[in-house]
Amino acid sequence: MLKPAFLYDQLEKQGIEFMLGVPDSLLKHFGSYAFDKGNTLIAANEGGALAIASGYHLATGNVPLIYLQNSGFGNIVNPLTSLTDEEVYSIPVLIMVGWRGQPGTDDEPQHIKPGKTQEEQLKALDIPYTILSSDEQQVKSQLGVAFDTIKKNSSPYVLLVPPNTFEEHPFQGDSENNSYSLKREEVLDQLVKKFGEKDIVVSTTGKTSRELFELREKHGLGHHRDFLTVGSMGHTSQIALGIALQKKKRRVFCIDGDGAMIMHMGALAIIGEQQPSNFYHILINNGAHESVGGQPTAGFHIDFGKIAEGCRYKKTFRVRDLSSLDSTFDKFLNAEGPVLLEIMTKTGARADLGRPTLSPTENKKNFMQFLTED
């Protein structure tokens, strides 16, 4: 396996001084090492990362590196084809892509299609790439070819990173949320007890949906009320909005995460513009991309409540412990939507946390049947 420090040093030798991206589970050990070295920026989304990298190149003339999971590759297709492409501004950038769903490996359903089509996408976009080796000598050779190509073409080059490429490097960054007592699963455990029989729930990707599934199982509540967004990070609130606009007589709860909300924050503007009175937005903010390495988001440095109010949410609430959650939740429910409840938490999840035992299509079928009920 490849040492993150080795690759980092080799990239520095090639002149890489600026690294940024969106954390990925396959790249988390490299990302954690880079972050601990103080040389990386966590972008809101993948397209934004490429745009920031382009600005860096325009200002310095140097080649930047961005990293991302291939499930987010769609977010960079627009700037790849209309900004950095040789036929537009011809901007050189090295792009490290975690190859979830690589053919021949086991992965979750939402990663199968991105993994199966990743190489075809790169070929269709005419972007040169290589599959990163875990052998140090071969990596040196691959980087040599990559940077020769980047300098020759003045355009992007991709390092496609298969599973289990990197040795472990746990994130050493300081946690900013030590003052918060709640964990996400504790919050969800309280929420499932407060939701009504007819309430509709749409939960965000990552550990949130996994914990929600297990808690429904634990309490014998069934899974038909919940749409578990296993992919499509950042789009949960828009799925919930689409439902709320059609099911106006039923409460729709969107359980969101800070990283997901930041990724496509423009969603708040559309929710506010549509003014769905049955829309209840719950944000569980732990200030981290926890499921892919724990690197921080901007979640603890921005005021989501003011942003929501600026987007015409009717009311916003913020809590940080169970007692305030209990006392605030009724006010939240009694408010006319759209309304936001932000719950501050610390990171941490059970080591034995499982994954939903229902397939996405089974979840969809059961959920749609639930939506047809009066």
Side-chain angles (χ1 to χ4, degrees), residues 263-299:
M263 181 169 280
H264 294 295
M265 200 180 291
L268 298 180
I270 306 307
I271 294 165
E273 188 269 337
Q274 289 296 312
Q275 290 287 289
S277 61
N278 58 336
F279 193 96
Y280 295 85
H281 205 158
I282 299 172
L283 170 62
I284 301 178
N285 183 1
N286 65 4
H289 286 287
E290 183 178 359
S291 63
V292 289
Q295 294 89 345
T297 70

Side-chain angles (χ1 to χ4, degrees), residues 234-342:
H235 294 299
T236 301
S237 67
Q238 299 296 271
I239 297 170
L241 175 62
I243 296 169
L245 293 176
Q246 302 305 315
K247 298 293 179 180
K248 296 181 179 180
K249 295 182 180 180
R250 295 171 66 178
R251 296 185 301 198
V252 178
F253 291 88
C254 171
I255 305 177
D256 223 334
D258 51 298
M261 184 177 282
I262 291 168
M263 181 169 280
H264 294 295
M265 200 180 291
L268 298 180
I270 306 307
I271 294 165
E273 188 269 337
Q274 289 296 312
Q275 290 287 289
S277 61
N278 58 336
F279 193 96
Y280 295 85
H281 205 158
I282 299 172
L283 170 62
I284 301 178
N285 183 1
N286 65 4
H289 286 287
E290 183 178 359
S291 63
V292 289
Q295 294 89 345
T297 70
F300 288 165
H301 301 285
I302 58 179
D303 191 328
F304 286 107
K306 286 185 178 179
I307 294 168
E309 289 172 2
C311 290
R312 298 183 63 213
Y313 276 54
K314 295 289 183 63
K315 285 189 177 181
T316 65
F317 303 91
R318 190 171 188 260
V319 301
R320 59 179 65 203
D321 52 48
L322 280 182
S323 61
S324 58
L325 175 60
D326 287 337
S327 62
T328 303
F329 198 78
D330 285 342
K331 297 177 184 177
F332 173 65
L333 286 185
N334 289 327
E336 182 180 0
V339 59
L340 175 72
L341 171 62
E342 181 183 9

Side-chain angles (χ1 to χ4, degrees), residues 188-224:
L188 292 170
D189 195 31
Q190 294 300 309
L191 292 179
V192 297
K193 299 171 185 175
K194 297 177 183 295
F195 295 143
E197 286 288 322
K198 297 295 183 180
D199 288 339
I200 298 165
V201 178
V202 183
S203 59
T204 191
T205 189
K207 292 183 179 179
T208 300
S209 284
R210 292 166 61 185
E211 290 171 343
L212 178 60
F213 185 90
E214 294 207 347
L215 287 166
R216 290 288 201 188
E217 192 81 11
K218 173 185 173 181
H219 295 297
L221 295 172
H223 305 290
H224 54 287

Side-chain angles (χ1 to χ4, degrees), residues 22 54 76 115 118 233:
V22 178
S54 297
I76 69 168
Q118 183 61 68
M233 182 173 171

Side-chain angles (χ1 to χ4, degrees), residues 33-104:
Y33 183 86
F35 194 91
D36 291 340
K37 294 284 285 186
N39 191 23
T40 188
L41 178 156
I42 308 299
N45 57 54
E46 294 82 2
L50 187 55
I52 295 169
S54 297
Y56 166 82
H57 170 73
L58 294 172
T60 66
N62 297 331
V63 177
L65 175 135
I66 72 167
Y67 55 85
L68 61 138
Q69 183 180 113
N70 63 335
S71 63
F73 189 80
N75 282 334
I76 69 168
V77 170
N78 178 279
L80 272 175
T81 56
S82 62
L83 175 64
T84 60
D85 190 83
E86 291 176 74
E87 297 184 51
V88 190
Y89 289 106
S90 193
I91 294 175
V93 56
L94 183 63
I95 305 173
M96 190 183 302
V97 180
W99 197 358
R100 293 294 301 268
Q102 179 189 20

Side-chain angles (χ1 to χ4, degrees), residues 54 100 126 156 175 234 359:
S54 297
R100 293 294 301 268
D126 198 25
S175 174
S359 70

